[in-house]
Amino acid sequence: MEEMNGISGDDVSLSIYNRKIYFPWGNDIIIYDSTLRDGEQMPGVAFTPEQKLDIAILLDEIGIKEIEAGFPAISDREAKTVKMIAEQGLNARILALSRLKREDIDAAIKADVDVILLFIASSPLHLKYKLNLSIEEVERLIVDSIDYVKDHGIIPSFSTEDSTRTSIDILKRFVKIAEETGAKRVGFTDTLGCATPEAIEFLFSEMYRFTSLPISAHLHNDFGLSLANAITALRSGARYACATVHGWGERAGNVPLEQLVMTLQYLYGIDLRIDTERLKELSDLVSRYAGIDVPKTQPFVGDNAFTHESGIHVAAVLRNPRTYEPVDPSIVGNRRRIILGKHSGRHVVETKLKELGIEVNDEELDIIMNKVKELGERKGEVKDDDLIKIIFKVRRSHE
Ligand code: MN
């Protein structure tokens, strides 16, 4: 395999079939994080202003270039929080969401953000049942809103909501008007997470050819395709991709930030200049503030992401971790865990005992092995404390 950015080394060993794939924006791809907006729309989650600021600061330190800090129109407190984040002087640009309504835009202007993400639904379903607006009425709103944002010296971005259920002709009509009025970027959304990667490829390629504005992608995960769709959107010409920590957001959520970063940087060799070694720290912070545990199996940041139990795996990992870990856990700030249980082999029990500074003879090891497997069958996991108790018992019965 051709090495990509020198990432195949002692710490990384990826599929030999991975190839350098062409991304129109290459290393200039920008991930914009929406943990503070869409992430907070996860049922049951509400961050305090201080928590939002902490998360924004950490995102900025890690190298995230854009932070969607909130939806200022929803409340005074939200608007103040967005303003507080905007006033921190972070390197990241601060974005705020706004409907095509004067009061929304005013709230975003007052919050002093760099970019206002104007959006309006474009699908026939939403136009009829949600907005009760005609295409012509939407067009007038697009012009008025972009003009208004521009007049206040803020960068206008224009997105259609529910783009993947909107005809390409309507999307082009809206984009053309937005571009002519002075939008600086346009966004397309898979609001229901119901598009295939092929549909995303069609939509974004078509729009990449159609407009000279940079394109952003806001994608949901209802079918579990958000990450694949984000990669596809970027391959098809998008420059900006929205993500949230753990993919947390409305319903089944969004694109998981840590997976998008790792996939782009390691599987596709794109240099996003993001400090991946703090991804676990970011995950812990967001989980603590959201009051929601990270699923153990969450890629990269979950407790099980680098945990080994089965004897065969553990023995191999102890000889060379790359046998069962594609990247070293330190790359994402996680750590390796060796768990004893019913699948444990002799080698790992011996290693564990050595770690604990306990010496046993062969006969004792046989008995300990059996007890570990027995307890593992019953409890699933044998913790260090359990192992020490087992050794105690075995020794006592021998005295
Ligand atoms: Mn969303």
Side-chain angles (χ1 to χ4, degrees):
M1 178 208 176
E2 163 204 7
E3 276 206 10
M4 293 193 305
N5 298 342
I7 56 167
S8 288
D10 286 349
D11 285 344
V12 182
S13 180
L14 305 170
S15 171
I16 58 167
Y17 300 109
N18 292 346
R19 289 289 179 269
K20 192 99 186 160
I21 300 287
Y22 176 69
F23 285 77
W25 287 93
N27 293 344
D28 294 325
I29 283 171
I30 288 177
I31 295 178
Y32 76 96
D33 182 274
S34 186
T35 306
L36 301 180
R37 204 275 298 163
D38 212 320
E40 204 196 25
Q41 285 172 225
M42 181 177 186
V45 176
F47 299 121
T48 67
E50 295 71 27
Q51 289 174 337
K52 280 196 164 195
L53 183 60
D54 285 349
I55 294 170
I57 289 171
L58 186 50
L59 285 167
D60 184 55
E61 283 178 4
I62 283 174
I64 298 298
K65 311 277 180 306
E66 292 191 344
I67 297 169
E68 187 181 350
F71 195 170
I74 62 173
S75 74
D76 262 5
R77 185 169 138 108
E78 174 84 354
K80 280 189 190 130
T81 306
V82 174
K83 189 174 166 71
M84 174 174 69
I85 294 169
E87 283 173 345
Q88 286 301 308
L90 303 178
N91 290 316
R93 293 209 285 188
I94 305 302
L95 283 42
L97 192 66
S98 168
R99 290 170 294 184
L100 306 190
K101 292 187 169 186
R102 205 42 74 92
E103 60 267 32
D104 275 32
I105 301 172
D106 281 334
I109 291 169
K110 269 208 294 202
D112 234 350
V113 296
D114 301 301
V115 180
I116 296 183
L117 300 172
L118 297 166
F119 80 98
I120 191 159
S122 54
S123 63
L125 211 58
H126 278 220
L127 288 183
K128 182 169 172 201
Y129 292 100
K130 189 173 85 172
L131 300 175
N132 193 25
L133 287 173
S134 69
I135 303 289
E136 291 71 23
E137 285 169 318
V138 172
E139 286 178 329
R140 275 197 295 277
L141 288 173
I142 294 172
V143 172
D144 288 351
S145 304
I146 292 173
D147 270 339
Y148 191 64
V149 171
K150 255 188 353 192
D151 287 348
H152 287 83
I154 299 176
I155 299 171
S157 164
F158 171 72
S159 297
T160 52
E161 187 193 3
D162 207 14
S163 319
T164 62
R165 298 191 299 176
T166 305
S167 76
I168 205 89
D169 294 336
I170 296 294
L171 292 177
K172 284 181 177 172
R173 254 174 91 165
F174 290 167
V175 165
K176 187 160 182 281
I177 285 179
E179 186 166 357
E180 283 168 1
T181 313
K184 291 291 177 239
R185 69 201 224 190
V186 285
F188 304 102
T189 58
D190 187 23
T191 306
L192 274 289
C194 57
T196 59
E198 292 73 21
I200 294 293
E201 182 178 11
F202 170 77
L203 173 59
F204 283 82
S205 307
E206 193 73 15
M207 288 304 168
Y208 183 57
R209 277 192 295 271
F210 181 74
T211 176
S212 59
L213 294 176
I215 295 172
S216 74
H218 178 91
L219 308 163
H220 275 270
N221 199 37
D222 297 68
F223 277 77
L225 287 170
S226 65
L227 177 63
N229 282 345
I231 298 295
T232 305
L234 293 169
R235 282 184 59 185
S236 308
R239 180 180 188 192
Y240 302 89
C242 182
T244 61
V245 175
H246 311 125
W248 286 354
E250 295 196 81
R251 302 186 315 280
N254 302 66
V255 178
L257 177 81
E258 56 291 347
Q259 292 171 45
L260 182 60
V261 169
M262 288 300 291
T263 300
L264 287 174
Q265 292 205 167
Y266 284 89
L267 297 187
Y268 290 104
I270 287 170
D271 184 12
L272 297 168
R273 299 169 298 281
I274 287 173
D275 180 6
T276 61
E277 291 182 6
R278 298 183 71 186
L279 287 173
K280 172 73 173 152
E281 180 188 344
L282 177 66
S283 160
D284 289 344
L285 185 76
V286 169
S287 160
R288 197 166 74 243
Y289 285 171
I292 292 171
D293 288 338
V294 178
K296 284 193 172 189
T297 52
Q298 189 81 14
F300 303 115
V301 293
D303 280 351
N304 284 2
F306 300 94
T307 296
H308 312 281
E309 183 203 305
S310 99
I312 299 162
H313 285 212
V314 171
V317 163
L318 293 173
R319 281 183 211 113
N320 181 340
R322 293 297 77 74
T323 50
Y324 285 101
E325 291 171 358
V327 301
D328 196 85
S330 66
I331 285 177
V332 291
N334 206 339
R335 62 186 180 88
R336 181 173 306 126
R337 292 174 183 80
I338 306 287
I339 300 281
L340 296 182
K342 73 171 203 180
H343 304 104
S344 294
R346 210 178 164 83
H347 186 55
V348 59
V349 176
E350 273 183 309
T351 309
K352 249 304 174 231
L353 291 169
K354 230 181 261 168
E355 257 178 47
L356 296 168
I358 298 164
E359 274 183 53
V360 295
N361 60 37
D362 279 0
E363 192 199 343
E364 283 175 325
L365 185 60
D366 284 339
I367 304 169
I368 291 167
M369 279 297 302
N370 282 331
K371 300 240 179 241
V372 164
K373 282 178 184 284
E374 248 176 57
L375 188 62
E377 293 266 11
R378 271 191 288 128
K379 265 189 62 185
E381 183 185 328
V382 179
K383 301 223 162 79
D384 285 3
D385 286 358
D386 300 321
L387 183 61
I388 290 166
K389 273 186 209 149
I390 289 172
I391 295 159
F392 231 69
K393 272 193 196 156
V394 170
R395 291 242 159 114
R396 254 207 322 247
S397 65
H398 273 225
E399 275 165 8

